[in-house]
Amino acid sequence: MAKNLRLLGGGRDDAPDALILDDIHDLASDILHADEDDDDDPDPGPDLRPSQRVARIVLERSGLMHAFRDRIVLGVPGVWLVECGADGWTNTVIRTIGKSLHLSFDHYQWGRGFDLSLLARAADLGRHIIMTRDDDDDPFDDEIRLFALAEFDLRDDRHEDVAQIVSDHFGRQIDWPADLPARRMPYHALDYALVYGADEAAAERLVRVQIAVEERKRAESAIRRVEEQEKEAARNASRRGSGGKVDILRPTSPRVEDLAGYGDAARWAADLVADIAAYRAGEIAWSEVDTGALLVGPPGTGKTLFASALAASCDLPMISSSFAQWAATGASYQSDTIRAMRQTFEAAAANIPLLLFIDEIDSLPRRGVSPRHDDYWRPIVNTALECFDGTLRTEGIVVIAACNDASGLDPALLRSGRLDRRFEIALPDAAALARIFAHHAPDLPSSAIEPVATALAGTASGADVARFAREAKRIARRERRTVSGADILKVALPAETRTRELVLRTAIHEAGHAIALMLSGHVPRALSIVVDSLSAGHVSFDVDSTAGRLADVYRIALPALAGRAAEDVLLGEPTIGAAGDLETASGLVAGLDRGGLGGFLTPAQPDGDRVEARMRRLYAEAVMLVIRNRGAIMELAHLAVERRVLGEAALREFATKRGLA
Ligand code: ADP
C-alpha cells in the first residue's frame, strides 16, 4: 500500500475517540514545560525501542518534531504529509511520533474507508492527520497538497543514526554498515536483533536475515498477485469467448470430503450434501436446506476450490462469477455492471439445481459512506441485494460468496435470510497443511511431509502448498528421481544465512528443551531451528499446565530453563537469547506464592529474592539434567542442524531409540 493515513489525537490509548480540545491544551502545557526544562536535548524517551530511537533522531533532524510540537502548543490541528519511502519505516516513524508526544492514533489505509469528509471530522475532533507515502511511483495528489500544513521527507536516514543507537546499546563505539540504514529494515528488525544478538556482528546478521525473510514474503505476494490477475484474465477471456453468455461448469473432483483445512465450513458442507440428497429423495422440502454461506479468508486459502468441490460433492453444476467480472463487461458504467450481475443471477435461476459462486464480494462497498460515492454504488448494491433475495428464495440454488475482508460489506448483505452463515477460512494449521501437501504431492511419504507442515503452520496457504509441490516436483523431474521431503523443504523454507556456529548454538538450545520435555514424558510436537519473525528456533509441545500442582508447574519451568543450561554446559556460556525462557520460568515460579504453593497459605505478592532462590535451584537441576544427558542433546542437535525441522514422528523415533520416552 503506497499511501497511509493516520489520525493523531491527544487521547490516551484506551480512549482514543474521547478527544476534546481540553485534552490538547493539557498536553500542550506539558510539552511546553518539558521543552523549557531541556530545550536542546530532547529526552529520548525511556520506553522508545531502539528502532524508534533511530526514528526519533531522523524526525528531529527533519524538523517534523519541532513543527509538530509547536502546532500542538497552539492547539490547532492540521494535515501533514510525510515521505517515508518504505512500509516498515512508516510504521516505526508513526509510532515514534505517537510515543514521543503521547498521542494516540487511528490508522486508515488509503482507498479503504477514506474520503475527504474524514478531514473535516478530524478537524472537529481536534485531531491531526498525518499522511504517509512509501512508494515513490505514487505521489501525493495535488488535491491533498492543498490541505497540507507542511511536507517532510524522512528518506535521508543515515547508517550513522543506527550506529549511534547500536553503540548506546552495546556501550562502546560501533560502526554500522552503510547499506543498512533504518529505512531498509523491516518493522522491529533492529529491536529484535539487539535483543537476540550477542554482539554487533550477530545483530547485523539477524537484521540481514529478517530483510531476506521480508524480501521473500514480498516476492511471494507479488507472485500471488500475478496469479490472481491471470486467474481473472482467464475468467474474462472465457466470458468474452462465450459472447457474454454465462458458463456452466460441471466440476467432479476434488470433492469436499477429499480436502482439508476448511474447519466448520467442511462440517456445514457435509450437512448440505446430506440435506440435498434427502431433498432429492423427497424426504425434506427445499426450505429446510441451509443454502447460502459466506467464506472469509486470505487469498489462496482455497475458497474457490471449496465452492467447486462442494458442487462436485452435491452433484450440482456451478456458475462461477465475481464482482470484477461484472464490472469488466462494459466500460465500467454502472448500468453495464448491473446488467452483467442480473445476467448471472438469471442464468442461475434458469439452470436449477445449481451452485452459484460469487468471488470478491468485498468489492461491493457498504452504502452511506459519502454522497458522491453513494450516487455510483447505491444502485449496484441495491441490485445485488435484490438478486440475492430472489436467488436465495429460488428452489434449487445454493449460493457461496467469498471475500478476503468482510469488514467493509454492506450490513444488509449479512442480514438474516441473506449471507447470514459465515465461515472464516484461516491459514491452515500443521495437521491441515500435511493433508493439503498429501493432496498435491501424493507420492511423498508422511514422514517427509510432517516436518515441512510443522515448519509452515500458520504461515502458508493452500495455494502456497500447491506451488511448493509443483516446484519440488520440477526439481526432482530435472534430476530424474522422485520428489523428496528435502526438495519441499528447499523450496518452502528460507535459506539459512546464519553462521554454522550460530545454527549449532540454536540447535543445542532447542535440543536442551526437547530432551528435558522427553524426560518428563512429553515428546514435543516439533523442533525447529528455522528463523521466523518471532524466534531463532522453537520447540512446540502440548503440556497441560492447568492441573496446577507443584509438579505441573515444574514440568514446564524445568524444560524452559534447559535450553539455556544446554548452551551453558555444552558451549561454555549462555547468551541473552534465553530471555523469553527465563520470563516463562520465573513467571511460573512467581505464581507459586500467589497460589499458596510457595510455603505460605496467605496469598502473597511474589518476593524477588525468593523467586530468584527458587529459579537458581531449578536452574541447577536443569544443568544437572544437561550434564547427565549431554550425549542425547548433542545427537539431537546435530540431527536438527541436518534437517532444520523435526516433526513429532522423528522426535518420537529419537526418544524411543534413546530410551527417553
Ligand atoms: P481463494 O479462492 O481462497 O483465493 P483458490 O481456491 O483460488 O483460493 O486456491 C488456489 C489453489 O490453491 C487451488 O486451486 C488449490 O490448488 C490450492 N489450494 C488452496 N487451498 C487448498 C486446500 N485446502 N486443499 C488443497 N488445495 C488447496
Side-chain angles (χ1 to χ4, degrees):
M1 185 57 52
K3 272 186 256 173
N4 281 303
L5 182 72
R6 334 258 169 161
L7 292 183
L8 280 105
R12 289 186 311 275
D13 278 351
D14 54 352
D17 282 319
L19 286 176
I20 41 174
L21 271 174
D22 273 355
D23 275 353
I24 300 260
H25 289 312
D26 286 350
L27 182 66
S29 57
D30 279 356
I31 285 172
L32 204 56
H33 193 63
D35 276 356
E36 276 168 2
D37 278 354
D38 205 358
D39 214 355
D40 291 324
D41 182 16
D43 169 18
D47 59 348
L48 288 185
R49 295 168 188 268
S51 62
Q52 294 168 339
R53 269 182 241 145
V54 177
R56 176 74 179 250
I57 298 174
V58 181
L59 281 163
E60 295 285 0
R61 188 168 56 229
S62 73
L64 187 150
M65 286 302 255
H66 192 72
F68 213 84
R69 251 187 244 121
D70 279 357
R71 198 73 192 186
I72 290 176
V73 171
L74 288 176
V76 185
V79 176
W80 309 77
L81 304 185
V82 182
E83 301 269 1
C84 292
D87 198 27
W89 181 230
T90 309
N91 257 326
T92 306
V93 161
I94 289 297
R95 283 184 166 66
T96 308
I97 299 176
K99 260 190 182 175
S100 303
L101 298 176
H102 309 286
L103 300 169
S104 65
F105 52 84
D106 291 335
H107 177 189
Y108 293 80
Q109 237 156 28
W110 189 257
R112 283 201 190 173
F114 170 80
D115 64 280
L116 290 178
S117 69
L118 212 54
L119 297 183
R121 215 165 72 216
D124 281 349
L125 291 170
R127 304 189 79 176
H128 289 268
I129 290 194
I130 296 193
M131 290 185 170
T132 62
R133 203 166 72 84
D134 57 42
D135 181 352
D136 290 341
D137 296 333
D138 189 8
F140 285 119
D141 304 340
D142 286 341
E143 192 180 5
I144 291 299
R145 284 210 160 91
L146 289 178
F147 290 93
L149 278 176
E151 212 169 320
F152 295 95
D153 195 337
L154 301 185
R155 289 173 301 179
D156 82 325
D157 65 310
R158 302 166 194 165
H159 70 282
E160 295 95 334
D161 303 336
V162 185
Q164 184 177 330
I165 299 305
V166 175
S167 302
D168 288 353
H169 176 83
F170 289 112
R172 62 197 142 79
Q173 195 53 42
I174 280 169
D175 284 336
W176 187 254
D179 66 326
L180 286 185
R183 182 160 45 93
R184 266 212 69 207
M185 302 184 210
Y187 185 47
H188 279 332
L190 182 63
D191 311 330
Y192 170 79
L194 291 182
V195 170
Y196 290 102
D199 55 25
E200 67 268 31
E204 181 192 327
R205 270 198 305 276
L206 284 170
V207 166
R208 290 195 192 279
V209 167
Q210 291 175 86
I211 291 178
V213 170
E214 196 65 27
E215 277 169 359
R216 173 173 167 271
K217 271 201 218 141
R218 215 172 298 143
E220 278 179 2
S221 68
I223 292 174
R224 214 170 289 147
R225 265 200 309 278
V226 171
E227 282 176 353
E228 286 290 323
Q229 282 163 3
E230 283 173 357
K231 222 164 96 180
E232 195 51 53
R235 277 200 214 120
N236 288 336
S238 83
R239 257 194 89 82
R240 274 196 297 279
S242 60
K245 266 199 356 274
V246 179
D247 288 332
I248 313 263
L249 312 170
R250 298 190 186 276
T252 52
S253 77
R255 299 163 66 88
V256 218
E257 52 277 25
D258 305 330
L259 296 173
Y262 292 110
D264 288 343
R267 282 183 279 282
W268 173 79
D271 285 347
L272 182 67
V273 173
D275 284 353
I276 288 189
Y279 164 74
R280 283 186 170 135
E283 291 161 15
I284 59 171
W286 184 258
S287 58
E288 289 174 69
V289 184
D290 193 358
T291 54
L294 171 65
L295 307 177
V296 185
T301 42
K303 300 179 293 295
T304 311
L305 180 68
F306 178 86
S308 142
L310 182 58
S313 290
C314 295
D315 193 17
L316 290 173
M318 163 170 160
I319 290 179
S320 178
S321 61
S322 73
F323 181 81
Q325 208 177 61
W326 296 329
T329 47
S332 116
Y333 289 123
Q334 200 188 43
S335 54
D336 289 326
T337 307
I338 290 178
R339 191 171 320 118
M341 190 189 315
R342 280 198 200 284
Q343 203 176 25
T344 299
F345 281 89
E346 280 160 13
N351 286 284
I352 53 166
L354 175 130
L355 185 146
L356 174 58
F357 175 63
I358 303 167
D359 205 358
E360 302 159 14
I361 189 126
D362 45 353
S363 307
L364 217 57
R366 64 171 77 222
R367 293 162 297 174
V369 173
S370 77
R372 234 177 67 193
H373 165 279
D374 259 24
D375 284 348
Y376 184 83
W377 286 105
R378 192 176 284 277
I380 297 181
V381 179
N382 286 346
T383 310
L385 291 174
E386 188 192 306
C387 287
F388 269 111
D389 285 346
T391 302
L392 287 164
R393 275 198 298 269
T394 306
E395 183 156 336
I397 301 188
V398 174
V399 179
I400 303 287
C403 67
N404 299 333
D405 175 10
S407 61
L409 290 181
D410 197 290
L413 261 178
L414 307 174
R415 213 163 283 147
S416 116
R418 292 184 183 135
L419 296 173
D420 53 344
R421 186 164 303 274
R422 158 174 168 175
F423 298 105
E424 308 283 338
I425 314 282
L427 289 173
D429 63 10
L433 270 180
R435 289 189 54 200
I436 299 175
F437 264 114
H439 179 88
H440 289 285
D443 299 340
L444 271 182
S446 61
S447 58
I449 291 178
E450 198 204 359
V452 189
T454 309
L456 296 177
T459 63
S461 68
D464 293 331
V465 170
R467 198 176 67 249
F468 296 150
R470 251 192 334 264
E471 282 173 27
K473 281 188 210 160
R474 195 176 308 135
I475 295 175
R477 218 172 26 246
R478 242 181 262 133
E479 295 175 10
R480 297 177 190 284
R481 53 177 179 76
T482 51
V483 63
S484 69
D487 295 327
I488 297 270
L489 271 179
K490 199 150 120 201
V491 294
L493 298 184
E496 183 58 78
T497 55
R498 293 172 293 187
T499 59
R500 280 176 51 190
E501 198 187 326
L502 194 57
V503 171
L504 181 63
R505 177 176 281 278
T506 308
I508 288 174
H509 180 108
E510 303 308 335
H513 289 313
I515 297 286
L517 281 162
M518 288 175 188
L519 287 167
S520 73
H522 298 280
V523 174
R525 277 199 285 126
L527 183 163
S528 161
I529 56 161
V530 177
V531 180
D532 61 28
S533 57
L534 294 176
S535 63
H538 69 266
V539 168
S540 53
F541 59 100
D542 299 315
V543 178
D544 186 6
S545 62
T546 53
R549 293 163 304 189
L550 198 58
D552 299 311
V553 173
Y554 284 145
R555 194 169 297 145
I556 300 178
L558 185 65
L561 293 177
R564 183 185 201 267
E567 289 185 62
D568 208 347
V569 172
L570 299 170
L571 295 171
E573 58 180 339
T575 57
I576 57 168
D581 297 339
L582 292 173
E583 253 169 52
T584 306
S586 57
L588 286 163
V589 167
L592 292 175
D593 282 337
R594 273 194 303 272
L597 295 184
F600 301 91
L601 277 178
T602 316
Q605 282 307 314
D607 170 286
D609 290 345
R610 243 191 348 256
V611 172
E612 176 64 20
R614 269 200 215 114
M615 283 285 283
R616 278 173 193 251
R617 269 205 304 280
L618 207 56
Y619 188 66
E621 227 179 284
V623 166
M624 287 311 296
L625 182 151
V626 170
I627 292 172
R628 277 198 302 271
N629 296 280
R630 55 154 91 75
I633 294 176
M634 281 315 288
E635 190 181 330
L636 185 60
H638 285 301
L639 194 63
V641 170
E642 185 191 319
R643 301 217 203 138
R644 304 186 71 198
V645 182
L646 302 169
E648 187 167 352
L651 291 168
R652 190 168 295 283
E653 188 189 319
F654 181 90
T656 312
K657 193 182 82 189
R658 274 290 191 158
L660 296 169

